[in-house]
Amino acid sequence: MTGLEARADMIVCEGVKKWFGDFQALRGIDMTVEEREVVVVLGPSGSGKSTLIRCINRLEVHQEGRIIVDGVELTNDLRNIEKIRSEVGMVFQQFNLFPHLTIMDNITLAPIWVRKKPREEAETLAMELLDRVGIPEQADKYPGQLSGGQQQRVAIARALAMEPRVMLFDEPTSALDPEMIKEVLDVMKELAQTGMTMIVVTHEMGFAREVADRIIFMESGEIVEEGTPEHFFTNPTEDRTKLFLSQIL
Amino acid sequence: MDEKREQMDWVAAVEVAGEKPPEVPPHGPVVWARENLFSSVGSGILTAAGLLVALVFFKAMLGYIFGADRKWDAVATNLRLYFTQAYPDDQYVRVWVAVGIALALTGLSAAIWRASGRVNGYKLGGWSFGVAGGLLTMLVLSPFSWGARLIYLILALVFVGTGQYLRMSHPKIEVPALSVVVGVLAVLVGSLWVVPYGRHTFVNGEVQPPRPGTVAMTTKLPWTVMLLVMVVAYFVGKAVRDKVSPGLSKGLLVAGWMLLVPFDYFVILRDPALDYGQVFRVDVPIFLFFAVVGSALLWWLSDPERGEIGRVVAGLMVIGAGVFWLAAAFGLSVRQIIRIDLLLLSVVAVAAPTFTGEKAVRRRFILGWLILLALVNYMAMMVNTDSTVEVPGSFPLGGFSLTLLVATSVLLMSFPIGLILALGRTSKMPIFRLLSTTYIEVIRGVPLITILIFFKIILNLFLPDGMSLGNEMSAILGYALFSAAYLAENVRGGLQSIRKGQYEAANALGMSTAQTTSFIVLPQALRAVVPPLVGGVIATFKETSLLFIIGLFDFLRIGYVVVGGQTAFVGSQRENLLFVAFIYWIITFSISRSSVQLEKKLGLGER
Ligand SMILES: Nc1ncnc2c1ncn2[C@@H]1O[C@H](COP(=O)(O)OP(=O)(O)OP(=O)(O)O)[C@@H](O)[C@H]1O
Ligand SMILES: [Mg+2]
């Protein structure tokens, strides 16, 4: 990538505000994520990171401002929401696999019923994805029979099976034992290299430094600072960022 | 999960070390008794006291059951009355056909679901000892003649011998549990041909003195055929199961089980007098119309490219069908079946965009519509045709068959209603929530017997002129509406156990509410509440005995009032009640046993 070619805006947030009751979780977020960009969101607990990315696929509803995903604005219109959700993949901290379905069914369910794909095609794609995340031999097992790292990789494959344009990750490694974190991060790195647009909330600084195109630092529902990993880790400008980094590094 | 992982680690460790776990030597009854019954002075005393109580109780009970002046003849002579009340003798083959269909389904299901449980010789030997123990207890405690005691002793010795042989020589052989069950049934049925149970009959309402010999041909022959039907069905199922896709065969069997009761009752046992002229003039054309027009419409609607206009059309159809039903109240007279078909088509049309996809799925969807339509039209036609079976009352069945019909119909009807109520009560839409909650709370606040009486007395007043539900049908309807409320509460428990992450994951994948509910939420919710659901099934079955109070001839009434009131058997009420209680117990006990199996099976893939 030359950095000069014009990239389309994939996600645009303009003055996004969100309240839970009287508590304001997002205080006017302005943010643009371009196609093929990998953005890592950092910030202390409770700063609104999850809320922000959950607003992007409408798991939470923002009250003010605009969110535009791939040219479609998020409104209450059901059709828009379904369209955006099937173009935005999401990976959760707690995996959230469907425990009553086999790994294969977990991955093919949505492509078959939402994308209306023929079963054979969906299964072929699922096997390719399982290959890609390194566990093709687990297709007929149930989630409960897999380790945490394997489950999270299945969750990534499940999201990818919808062939999304954007992937959102909400602390994908926080519920994992240390020895399993790397296998999931490796899959995410590989995904970033293929040019997927990604927003990743994580506390894995190594990943942020190595993979992110841009880092966004949030606190108290605001974006405090953003920039390249280099800028962010070597000479941050804001005091709050410095404080956060001193605590975490 | 952790437990499983631990187990696996343990297995792995053993493999690495190359050692087998130490084998626990099979220990005899003495060791068992010392460890379990007399491990300390206190427990020894308690065991002895418990044994004494059991001894006194069983002696009294057996003394009563086998007392010389017991009138078990009353039961033996009236078995047919007990099970089918006054179903005419010359039509009795219909009863056997109805039972045969159920047993054929049982055999097929065992094959298709691969009932694969196995018991080893050691366990079988244990069971054999158990039977011997039972026989010995009876022979000691019962007031038998010495001749009878000798027979019991010989039988007990045979079982002890078998048990000992199995345990000593073949403790490890594995026998399919299914073979054991069929074997036991075969012995029981075979005994009908050789053991002189005696013959007890009515001839023209006169009780005949019991005659020695084996039971009548009209008993032993059909039962033998029934057993054969079940076994043959099993082998047929085994032969075809690898040639048919498991999804299809299981789907067909589930449909078969759901249709069993209405088919057996309306088509076989009622023997409706079809007028074929009418069938070809009216029923077939209506079916063909809906088949052709419906299929075309659904094909159009289920095209993934259809988009919003499809939902609008489907919505309009629902409204149209609703208006059509309302119009009936204002005197628009159309054949009921047209209204039903229209409603059915509109509901299926609403589901079309959600549950279809590419061509193959759409074709299967249309096929499903045709089958559903055919079944509904066929059953409606049969239900609307008068019965030709001549019985004294207005209803062809009575006794156990009525109890079974009511229980199964109630369960079949209350399940979908209960599901809808549970979904309504947990729905985000306030109007559904309000309606469901009100319904559930009102029904749960009223005793069942009140509802039954209400339906018996009042319901027919509300029905349009010329239409009437018999007492039996009103009772089924009232009972089903009652059960549905309880079922809904059980299902709601399951719905609440689904974690939020499951909904979020489904939403994030773009699944609609209907898809999330039917593929993600309900399957997990129902699995979670199998134990209370089975409890509900058992309660429903037992509480059909309340039909007694509203004057229906259910199993209890036949035993307590009808048989107990026969002049030939005056004073046999206690025997009859014991028999009725025993049969209820057998059924409910089997249900609760099989639910344990079901739980084990469902637990497999999970967590
Ligand atoms: N459903 C909710 N109802 C009420 N308050 C909520 C809800 N969800 C989040 N909040 C609040 O909003 C704030 C932001 O929450 P959010 O989950 O976005 O934080 P986060 O940055 O993801 O933190 P963490 O790193 O702990 O995950 C928190 O103070 C939280 O308590
Ligand atoms: Mg969070």
Side-chain angles (χ1 to χ4, degrees), chain A residues 54 79 85 88 92 96-100 109 113-114 116-118 142 144 158 162, chain B residues 1 308 353 355-358 501-502 504-505 507-509 515 519-520 523-524 605:
Chain A
R54 287 160 63 83
R79 279 166 306 176
R85 278 181 177 159
V88 178
F92 301 87
N96 293 345
L97 294 180
F98 305 129
H100 62 301
L109 189 69
W113 295 104
V114 180
K116 315 282 189 195
K117 267 201 179 153
Y142 287 88
R158 178 176 71 178
M162 289 296 284
Chain B
M1 184 174 119
E308 209 53 17
F355 294 103
T356 56
E358 41 101 26
Q502 295 286 308
E504 290 184 348
N507 280 342
L509 288 166
Q515 288 170 338
F519 299 137
I520 307 298
Q524 293 187 61

mmCIF file of all heavy atoms in Angstrom, chain A residues 54 79 85 88 92 96-100 109 113-114 116-118 142 144 158 162, chain B residues 1 308 353 355-358 501-502 504-505 507-509 515 519-520 523-524 605:
data_model
loop_
_atom_site.group_PDB
_atom_site.id
_atom_site.type_symbol
_atom_site.label_atom_id
_atom_site.label_comp_id
_atom_site.label_asym_id
_atom_site.label_seq_id
_atom_site.Cartn_x
_atom_site.Cartn_y
_atom_site.Cartn_z
ATOM 1 N N ARG A 54 -20.178 -1.648 19.804
ATOM 2 C CA ARG A 54 -21.510 -2.263 19.769
ATOM 3 C C ARG A 54 -22.534 -1.354 19.092
ATOM 4 O O ARG A 54 -23.531 -1.837 18.546
ATOM 5 C CB ARG A 54 -21.959 -2.628 21.180
ATOM 6 C CG ARG A 54 -21.205 -3.851 21.733
ATOM 7 C CD ARG A 54 -21.288 -3.919 23.239
ATOM 8 N NE ARG A 54 -22.667 -4.092 23.668
ATOM 9 C CZ ARG A 54 -23.271 -5.280 23.718
ATOM 10 N NH1 ARG A 54 -22.610 -6.362 23.399
ATOM 11 N NH2 ARG A 54 -24.522 -5.371 24.101
ATOM 12 N N ARG A 79 -34.501 -2.842 7.725
ATOM 13 C CA ARG A 79 -33.765 -3.377 6.586
ATOM 14 C C ARG A 79 -32.310 -2.952 6.623
ATOM 15 O O ARG A 79 -31.403 -3.722 6.382
ATOM 16 C CB ARG A 79 -34.413 -2.905 5.276
ATOM 17 C CG ARG A 79 -35.614 -3.724 4.898
ATOM 18 C CD ARG A 79 -36.378 -3.012 3.820
ATOM 19 N NE ARG A 79 -36.700 -1.635 4.235
ATOM 20 C CZ ARG A 79 -37.291 -0.748 3.463
ATOM 21 N NH1 ARG A 79 -37.595 -1.065 2.232
ATOM 22 N NH2 ARG A 79 -37.578 0.451 3.916
ATOM 23 N N ARG A 85 -25.704 -5.521 9.671
ATOM 24 C CA ARG A 85 -25.236 -6.602 10.531
ATOM 25 C C ARG A 85 -24.619 -7.730 9.730
ATOM 26 O O ARG A 85 -23.695 -8.390 10.170
ATOM 27 C CB ARG A 85 -26.382 -7.133 11.386
ATOM 28 C CG ARG A 85 -26.595 -6.270 12.593
ATOM 29 C CD ARG A 85 -27.693 -6.809 13.423
ATOM 30 N NE ARG A 85 -27.865 -6.020 14.632
ATOM 31 C CZ ARG A 85 -28.974 -6.004 15.334
ATOM 32 N NH1 ARG A 85 -29.999 -6.730 14.948
ATOM 33 N NH2 ARG A 85 -29.062 -5.282 16.409
ATOM 34 N N VAL A 88 -21.099 -6.623 8.822
ATOM 35 C CA VAL A 88 -20.167 -6.337 9.907
ATOM 36 C C VAL A 88 -20.080 -7.575 10.782
ATOM 37 O O VAL A 88 -21.064 -7.978 11.381
ATOM 38 C CB VAL A 88 -20.665 -5.133 10.736
ATOM 39 C CG1 VAL A 88 -19.725 -4.872 11.891
ATOM 40 C CG2 VAL A 88 -20.806 -3.914 9.863
ATOM 41 N N PHE A 92 -16.844 -11.736 20.111
ATOM 42 C CA PHE A 92 -17.076 -11.301 21.484
ATOM 43 C C PHE A 92 -16.019 -11.856 22.434
ATOM 44 O O PHE A 92 -15.404 -12.876 22.169
ATOM 45 C CB PHE A 92 -18.447 -11.795 21.963
ATOM 46 C CG PHE A 92 -19.603 -11.312 21.135
ATOM 47 C CD1 PHE A 92 -20.003 -12.018 20.005
ATOM 48 C CD2 PHE A 92 -20.304 -10.173 21.489
ATOM 49 C CE1 PHE A 92 -21.073 -11.585 19.243
ATOM 50 C CE2 PHE A 92 -21.378 -9.739 20.731
ATOM 51 C CZ PHE A 92 -21.759 -10.441 19.611
ATOM 52 N N ASN A 96 -19.476 -16.677 22.680
ATOM 53 C CA ASN A 96 -20.892 -16.765 22.321
ATOM 54 C C ASN A 96 -21.175 -17.717 21.169
ATOM 55 O O ASN A 96 -21.997 -17.440 20.301
ATOM 56 C CB ASN A 96 -21.456 -15.381 21.968
ATOM 57 C CG ASN A 96 -21.498 -14.483 23.179
ATOM 58 O OD1 ASN A 96 -21.368 -14.960 24.308
ATOM 59 N ND2 ASN A 96 -21.673 -13.205 22.969
ATOM 60 N N LEU A 97 -20.502 -18.870 21.172
ATOM 61 C CA LEU A 97 -20.882 -19.898 20.189
ATOM 62 C C LEU A 97 -22.220 -20.482 20.608
ATOM 63 O O LEU A 97 -22.639 -20.337 21.757
ATOM 64 C CB LEU A 97 -19.813 -20.992 20.146
ATOM 65 C CG LEU A 97 -18.454 -20.540 19.615
ATOM 66 C CD1 LEU A 97 -17.482 -21.711 19.620
ATOM 67 C CD2 LEU A 97 -18.581 -19.971 18.213
ATOM 68 N N PHE A 98 -22.896 -21.155 19.662
ATOM 69 C CA PHE A 98 -24.188 -21.776 19.980
ATOM 70 C C PHE A 98 -23.920 -23.189 20.499
ATOM 71 O O PHE A 98 -23.523 -24.062 19.730
ATOM 72 C CB PHE A 98 -25.078 -21.804 18.750
ATOM 73 C CG PHE A 98 -25.257 -20.434 18.128
ATOM 74 C CD1 PHE A 98 -25.037 -20.235 16.777
ATOM 75 C CD2 PHE A 98 -25.635 -19.351 18.904
ATOM 76 C CE1 PHE A 98 -25.200 -18.979 16.210
ATOM 77 C CE2 PHE A 98 -25.796 -18.087 18.347
ATOM 78 C CZ PHE A 98 -25.568 -17.908 17.001
ATOM 79 N N PRO A 99 -24.119 -23.427 21.793
ATOM 80 C CA PRO A 99 -23.648 -24.689 22.384
ATOM 81 C C PRO A 99 -24.385 -25.928 21.868
ATOM 82 O O PRO A 99 -23.862 -27.024 21.956
ATOM 83 C CB PRO A 99 -23.895 -24.496 23.882
ATOM 84 C CG PRO A 99 -24.938 -23.447 23.963
ATOM 85 C CD PRO A 99 -24.745 -22.551 22.788
ATOM 86 N N HIS A 100 -25.599 -25.744 21.321
ATOM 87 C CA HIS A 100 -26.367 -26.920 20.911
ATOM 88 C C HIS A 100 -26.084 -27.316 19.467
ATOM 89 O O HIS A 100 -26.655 -28.277 18.973
ATOM 90 C CB HIS A 100 -27.855 -26.654 21.088
ATOM 91 C CG HIS A 100 -28.359 -25.521 20.239
ATOM 92 N ND1 HIS A 100 -27.853 -24.244 20.334
ATOM 93 C CD2 HIS A 100 -29.291 -25.480 19.272
ATOM 94 C CE1 HIS A 100 -28.464 -23.464 19.469
ATOM 95 N NE2 HIS A 100 -29.346 -24.192 18.806
ATOM 96 N N LEU A 109 -24.884 -21.779 9.780
ATOM 97 C CA LEU A 109 -26.272 -21.390 10.033
ATOM 98 C C LEU A 109 -26.645 -20.055 9.367
ATOM 99 O O LEU A 109 -27.597 -19.974 8.579
ATOM 100 C CB LEU A 109 -26.506 -21.299 11.545
ATOM 101 C CG LEU A 109 -27.953 -21.110 11.976
ATOM 102 C CD1 LEU A 109 -28.751 -22.362 11.687
ATOM 103 C CD2 LEU A 109 -28.038 -20.776 13.460
ATOM 104 N N TRP A 113 -29.194 -19.269 6.167
ATOM 105 C CA TRP A 113 -30.523 -18.679 6.388
ATOM 106 C C TRP A 113 -30.569 -17.179 6.151
ATOM 107 O O TRP A 113 -31.610 -16.639 5.825
ATOM 108 C CB TRP A 113 -31.027 -19.011 7.793
ATOM 109 C CG TRP A 113 -31.255 -20.462 7.957
ATOM 110 C CD1 TRP A 113 -30.457 -21.345 8.635
ATOM 111 C CD2 TRP A 113 -32.299 -21.245 7.380
ATOM 112 N NE1 TRP A 113 -30.950 -22.611 8.520
ATOM 113 C CE2 TRP A 113 -32.080 -22.588 7.762
ATOM 114 C CE3 TRP A 113 -33.410 -20.948 6.580
ATOM 115 C CZ2 TRP A 113 -32.921 -23.627 7.379
ATOM 116 C CZ3 TRP A 113 -34.243 -21.984 6.201
ATOM 117 C CH2 TRP A 113 -33.995 -23.301 6.597
ATOM 118 N N VAL A 114 -29.428 -16.504 6.338
ATOM 119 C CA VAL A 114 -29.441 -15.057 6.129
ATOM 120 C C VAL A 114 -28.953 -14.727 4.724
ATOM 121 O O VAL A 114 -29.582 -13.975 4.001
ATOM 122 C CB VAL A 114 -28.568 -14.347 7.186
ATOM 123 C CG1 VAL A 114 -28.586 -12.853 6.955
ATOM 124 C CG2 VAL A 114 -29.059 -14.678 8.588
ATOM 125 N N LYS A 116 -28.785 -16.961 2.367
ATOM 126 C CA LYS A 116 -29.503 -17.856 1.451
ATOM 127 C C LYS A 116 -28.548 -18.613 0.538
ATOM 128 O O LYS A 116 -28.774 -18.738 -0.665
ATOM 129 C CB LYS A 116 -30.519 -17.081 0.603
ATOM 130 C CG LYS A 116 -31.365 -16.087 1.375
ATOM 131 C CD LYS A 116 -32.462 -16.762 2.137
ATOM 132 C CE LYS A 116 -33.448 -15.763 2.727
ATOM 133 N NZ LYS A 116 -34.311 -16.342 3.746
ATOM 134 N N LYS A 117 -27.476 -19.101 1.119
ATOM 135 C CA LYS A 117 -26.513 -19.888 0.339
ATOM 136 C C LYS A 117 -26.922 -21.345 0.306
ATOM 137 O O LYS A 117 -27.462 -21.843 1.278
ATOM 138 C CB LYS A 117 -25.150 -19.835 1.049
ATOM 139 C CG LYS A 117 -24.269 -18.763 0.557
ATOM 140 C CD LYS A 117 -22.842 -19.077 0.901
ATOM 141 C CE LYS A 117 -22.039 -17.949 0.336
ATOM 142 N NZ LYS A 117 -20.836 -17.658 0.938
ATOM 143 N N PRO A 118 -26.630 -22.050 -0.797
ATOM 144 C CA PRO A 118 -26.843 -23.497 -0.776
ATOM 145 C C PRO A 118 -25.963 -24.128 0.294
ATOM 146 O O PRO A 118 -24.837 -23.670 0.518
ATOM 147 C CB PRO A 118 -26.392 -23.955 -2.162
ATOM 148 C CG PRO A 118 -26.403 -22.740 -3.002
ATOM 149 C CD PRO A 118 -26.170 -21.574 -2.103
ATOM 150 N N TYR A 142 -18.841 -30.360 19.296
ATOM 151 C CA TYR A 142 -19.659 -29.288 19.856
ATOM 152 C C TYR A 142 -18.744 -28.289 20.558
ATOM 153 O O TYR A 142 -17.652 -28.659 21.015
ATOM 154 C CB TYR A 142 -20.679 -29.863 20.839
ATOM 155 C CG TYR A 142 -21.797 -30.592 20.148
ATOM 156 C CD1 TYR A 142 -21.682 -31.938 19.847
ATOM 157 C CD2 TYR A 142 -22.958 -29.925 19.763
ATOM 158 C CE1 TYR A 142 -22.697 -32.613 19.175
ATOM 159 C CE2 TYR A 142 -23.969 -30.578 19.108
ATOM 160 C CZ TYR A 142 -23.835 -31.926 18.814
ATOM 161 O OH TYR A 142 -24.840 -32.567 18.153
ATOM 162 N N GLY A 144 -18.606 -27.087 23.439
ATOM 163 C CA GLY A 144 -18.174 -27.483 24.774
ATOM 164 C C GLY A 144 -16.996 -28.440 24.785
ATOM 165 O O GLY A 144 -16.350 -28.633 25.805
ATOM 166 N N ARG A 158 -16.835 -18.157 12.205
ATOM 167 C CA ARG A 158 -18.274 -17.965 12.056
ATOM 168 C C ARG A 158 -18.587 -16.566 11.533
ATOM 169 O O ARG A 158 -19.428 -16.387 10.645
ATOM 170 C CB ARG A 158 -18.959 -18.185 13.407
ATOM 171 C CG ARG A 158 -20.462 -17.965 13.367
ATOM 172 C CD ARG A 158 -21.122 -18.280 14.670
ATOM 173 N NE ARG A 158 -20.797 -17.283 15.696
ATOM 174 C CZ ARG A 158 -21.275 -17.307 16.926
ATOM 175 N NH1 ARG A 158 -22.083 -18.279 17.293
ATOM 176 N NH2 ARG A 158 -20.940 -16.386 17.799
ATOM 177 N N MET A 162 -19.829 -15.008 6.935
ATOM 178 C CA MET A 162 -20.809 -14.101 6.349
ATOM 179 C C MET A 162 -20.152 -13.178 5.320
ATOM 180 O O MET A 162 -20.795 -12.301 4.769
ATOM 181 C CB MET A 162 -21.475 -13.252 7.441
ATOM 182 C CG MET A 162 -22.408 -14.035 8.336
ATOM 183 S SD MET A 162 -23.803 -14.699 7.430
ATOM 184 C CE MET A 162 -24.801 -13.222 7.237
ATOM 185 N N MET B 1 -17.808 -29.125 31.607
ATOM 186 C CA MET B 1 -16.684 -29.094 30.674
ATOM 187 C C MET B 1 -15.406 -29.453 31.402
ATOM 188 O O MET B 1 -14.627 -30.277 30.971
ATOM 189 C CB MET B 1 -16.578 -27.701 30.065
ATOM 190 C CG MET B 1 -15.497 -27.589 29.022
ATOM 191 S SD MET B 1 -15.574 -25.970 28.256
ATOM 192 C CE MET B 1 -13.978 -25.354 28.668
ATOM 193 N N GLU B 308 -39.016 -6.461 0.065
ATOM 194 C CA GLU B 308 -40.065 -5.954 0.947
ATOM 195 C C GLU B 308 -41.480 -6.304 0.480
ATOM 196 O O GLU B 308 -42.343 -6.639 1.275
ATOM 197 C CB GLU B 308 -39.923 -4.439 1.040
ATOM 198 C CG GLU B 308 -40.400 -3.867 2.327
ATOM 199 C CD GLU B 308 -39.759 -4.560 3.519
ATOM 200 O OE1 GLU B 308 -38.727 -5.250 3.370
ATOM 201 O OE2 GLU B 308 -40.319 -4.438 4.611
ATOM 202 N N PRO B 353 -40.414 -15.867 3.548
ATOM 203 C CA PRO B 353 -39.151 -15.151 3.331
ATOM 204 C C PRO B 353 -38.098 -15.482 4.384
ATOM 205 O O PRO B 353 -36.901 -15.453 4.099
ATOM 206 C CB PRO B 353 -39.553 -13.674 3.443
ATOM 207 C CG PRO B 353 -41.028 -13.658 3.308
ATOM 208 C CD PRO B 353 -41.530 -14.954 3.818
ATOM 209 N N PHE B 355 -37.700 -18.417 6.170
ATOM 210 C CA PHE B 355 -37.199 -19.784 6.288
ATOM 211 C C PHE B 355 -36.890 -20.434 4.950
ATOM 212 O O PHE B 355 -36.913 -21.642 4.825
ATOM 213 C CB PHE B 355 -38.176 -20.646 7.078
ATOM 214 C CG PHE B 355 -38.264 -20.202 8.496
ATOM 215 C CD1 PHE B 355 -39.330 -19.467 8.947
ATOM 216 C CD2 PHE B 355 -37.234 -20.492 9.387
ATOM 217 C CE1 PHE B 355 -39.397 -19.034 10.260
ATOM 218 C CE2 PHE B 355 -37.279 -20.069 10.692
ATOM 219 C CZ PHE B 355 -38.363 -19.334 11.125
ATOM 220 N N THR B 356 -36.677 -19.630 3.929
ATOM 221 C CA THR B 356 -36.293 -20.245 2.669
ATOM 222 C C THR B 356 -34.969 -19.672 2.233
ATOM 223 O O THR B 356 -34.395 -18.828 2.887
ATOM 224 C CB THR B 356 -37.330 -19.953 1.584
ATOM 225 O OG1 THR B 356 -37.473 -18.560 1.497
ATOM 226 C CG2 THR B 356 -38.630 -20.616 1.893
ATOM 227 N N GLY B 357 -34.486 -20.137 1.109
ATOM 228 C CA GLY B 357 -33.209 -19.648 0.638
ATOM 229 C C GLY B 357 -33.064 -19.967 -0.820
ATOM 230 O O GLY B 357 -33.901 -19.580 -1.624
ATOM 231 N N GLU B 358 -32.031 -20.738 -1.121
ATOM 232 C CA GLU B 358 -31.787 -21.039 -2.531
ATOM 233 C C GLU B 358 -32.811 -22.058 -3.032
ATOM 234 O O GLU B 358 -33.634 -22.554 -2.274
ATOM 235 C CB GLU B 358 -30.358 -21.530 -2.702
ATOM 236 C CG GLU B 358 -29.904 -22.470 -1.603
ATOM 237 C CD GLU B 358 -29.944 -23.901 -2.051
ATOM 238 O OE1 GLU B 358 -29.838 -24.119 -3.268
ATOM 239 O OE2 GLU B 358 -30.077 -24.782 -1.202
ATOM 240 N N GLY B 501 -25.663 -13.205 25.528
ATOM 241 C CA GLY B 501 -24.664 -13.354 24.466
ATOM 242 C C GLY B 501 -25.180 -14.148 23.287
ATOM 243 O O GLY B 501 -24.771 -13.916 22.144
ATOM 244 N N GLN B 502 -26.094 -15.101 23.551
ATOM 245 C CA GLN B 502 -26.632 -15.904 22.460
ATOM 246 C C GLN B 502 -27.462 -15.044 21.505
ATOM 247 O O GLN B 502 -27.356 -15.160 20.297
ATOM 248 C CB GLN B 502 -27.497 -17.041 23.015
ATOM 249 C CG GLN B 502 -26.704 -18.050 23.821
ATOM 250 C CD GLN B 502 -25.857 -18.926 22.929
ATOM 251 O OE1 GLN B 502 -26.329 -19.525 21.984
ATOM 252 N NE2 GLN B 502 -24.568 -18.981 23.217
ATOM 253 N N GLU B 504 -27.142 -11.803 21.186
ATOM 254 C CA GLU B 504 -26.252 -10.839 20.544
ATOM 255 C C GLU B 504 -25.489 -11.477 19.400
ATOM 256 O O GLU B 504 -25.336 -10.875 18.335
ATOM 257 C CB GLU B 504 -25.294 -10.248 21.579
ATOM 258 C CG GLU B 504 -26.004 -9.328 22.544
ATOM 259 C CD GLU B 504 -25.062 -8.665 23.520
ATOM 260 O OE1 GLU B 504 -23.887 -9.083 23.598
ATOM 261 O OE2 GLU B 504 -25.514 -7.733 24.217
ATOM 262 N N ALA B 505 -25.023 -12.709 19.628
ATOM 263 C CA ALA B 505 -24.279 -13.381 18.564
ATOM 264 C C ALA B 505 -25.172 -13.578 17.351
ATOM 265 O O ALA B 505 -24.773 -13.339 16.212
ATOM 266 C CB ALA B 505 -23.741 -14.722 19.061
ATOM 267 N N ASN B 507 -27.887 -11.873 16.549
ATOM 268 C CA ASN B 507 -28.151 -10.573 15.944
ATOM 269 C C ASN B 507 -26.965 -10.105 15.115
ATOM 270 O O ASN B 507 -27.125 -9.606 14.003
ATOM 271 C CB ASN B 507 -28.411 -9.519 17.027
ATOM 272 C CG ASN B 507 -29.825 -9.611 17.552
ATOM 273 O OD1 ASN B 507 -30.677 -10.203 16.901
ATOM 274 N ND2 ASN B 507 -30.064 -9.050 18.716
ATOM 275 N N ALA B 508 -25.778 -10.262 15.686
ATOM 276 C CA ALA B 508 -24.588 -9.781 14.998
ATOM 277 C C ALA B 508 -24.391 -10.506 13.667
ATOM 278 O O ALA B 508 -23.743 -9.999 12.776
ATOM 279 C CB ALA B 508 -23.362 -9.955 15.879
ATOM 280 N N LEU B 509 -24.946 -11.711 13.552
ATOM 281 C CA LEU B 509 -24.833 -12.449 12.289
ATOM 282 C C LEU B 509 -25.944 -12.060 11.324
ATOM 283 O O LEU B 509 -26.051 -12.622 10.242
ATOM 284 C CB LEU B 509 -24.890 -13.958 12.544
ATOM 285 C CG LEU B 509 -23.642 -14.545 13.201
ATOM 286 C CD1 LEU B 509 -23.919 -15.944 13.729
ATOM 287 C CD2 LEU B 509 -22.490 -14.568 12.214
ATOM 288 N N GLN B 515 -35.786 -16.137 13.148
ATOM 289 C CA GLN B 515 -34.714 -17.119 12.973
ATOM 290 C C GLN B 515 -33.978 -17.354 14.281
ATOM 291 O O GLN B 515 -33.693 -18.496 14.648
ATOM 292 C CB GLN B 515 -33.734 -16.630 11.900
ATOM 293 C CG GLN B 515 -34.321 -16.712 10.501
ATOM 294 C CD GLN B 515 -33.466 -16.002 9.473
ATOM 295 O OE1 GLN B 515 -32.670 -15.131 9.805
ATOM 296 N NE2 GLN B 515 -33.633 -16.374 8.212
ATOM 297 N N PHE B 519 -33.968 -21.109 15.721
ATOM 298 C CA PHE B 519 -32.734 -21.895 15.587
ATOM 299 C C PHE B 519 -31.853 -21.849 16.821
ATOM 300 O O PHE B 519 -31.080 -22.764 17.086
ATOM 301 C CB PHE B 519 -31.905 -21.401 14.395
ATOM 302 C CG PHE B 519 -32.605 -21.525 13.080
ATOM 303 C CD1 PHE B 519 -32.548 -20.501 12.146
ATOM 304 C CD2 PHE B 519 -33.316 -22.670 12.774
ATOM 305 C CE1 PHE B 519 -33.196 -20.615 10.937
ATOM 306 C CE2 PHE B 519 -33.965 -22.791 11.565
ATOM 307 C CZ PHE B 519 -33.909 -21.758 10.642
ATOM 308 N N ILE B 520 -31.933 -20.752 17.565
ATOM 309 C CA ILE B 520 -30.995 -20.578 18.681
ATOM 310 C C ILE B 520 -31.699 -20.687 20.030
ATOM 311 O O ILE B 520 -31.297 -21.457 20.895
ATOM 312 C CB ILE B 520 -30.299 -19.193 18.603
ATOM 313 C CG1 ILE B 520 -29.674 -18.995 17.229
ATOM 314 C CG2 ILE B 520 -29.276 -19.048 19.716
ATOM 315 C CD1 ILE B 520 -28.615 -19.983 16.875
ATOM 316 N N PRO B 523 -34.491 -24.169 20.754
ATOM 317 C CA PRO B 523 -33.849 -25.467 20.957
ATOM 318 C C PRO B 523 -33.123 -25.553 22.292
ATOM 319 O O PRO B 523 -33.204 -26.571 22.991
ATOM 320 C CB PRO B 523 -32.848 -25.564 19.798
ATOM 321 C CG PRO B 523 -33.360 -24.643 18.760
ATOM 322 C CD PRO B 523 -34.081 -23.537 19.481
ATOM 323 N N GLN B 524 -32.448 -24.470 22.671
ATOM 324 C CA GLN B 524 -31.725 -24.513 23.950
ATOM 325 C C GLN B 524 -32.681 -24.423 25.125
ATOM 326 O O GLN B 524 -32.498 -25.092 26.142
ATOM 327 C CB GLN B 524 -30.731 -23.352 24.024
ATOM 328 C CG GLN B 524 -29.613 -23.464 23.023
ATOM 329 C CD GLN B 524 -28.571 -22.381 23.243
ATOM 330 O OE1 GLN B 524 -27.953 -22.301 24.295
ATOM 331 N NE2 GLN B 524 -28.378 -21.529 22.255
ATOM 332 N N GLY B 605 -24.222 -33.720 23.644
ATOM 333 C CA GLY B 605 -23.506 -32.743 22.850
ATOM 334 C C GLY B 605 -23.211 -31.455 23.595
ATOM 335 O O GLY B 605 -22.541 -30.581 23.063
#
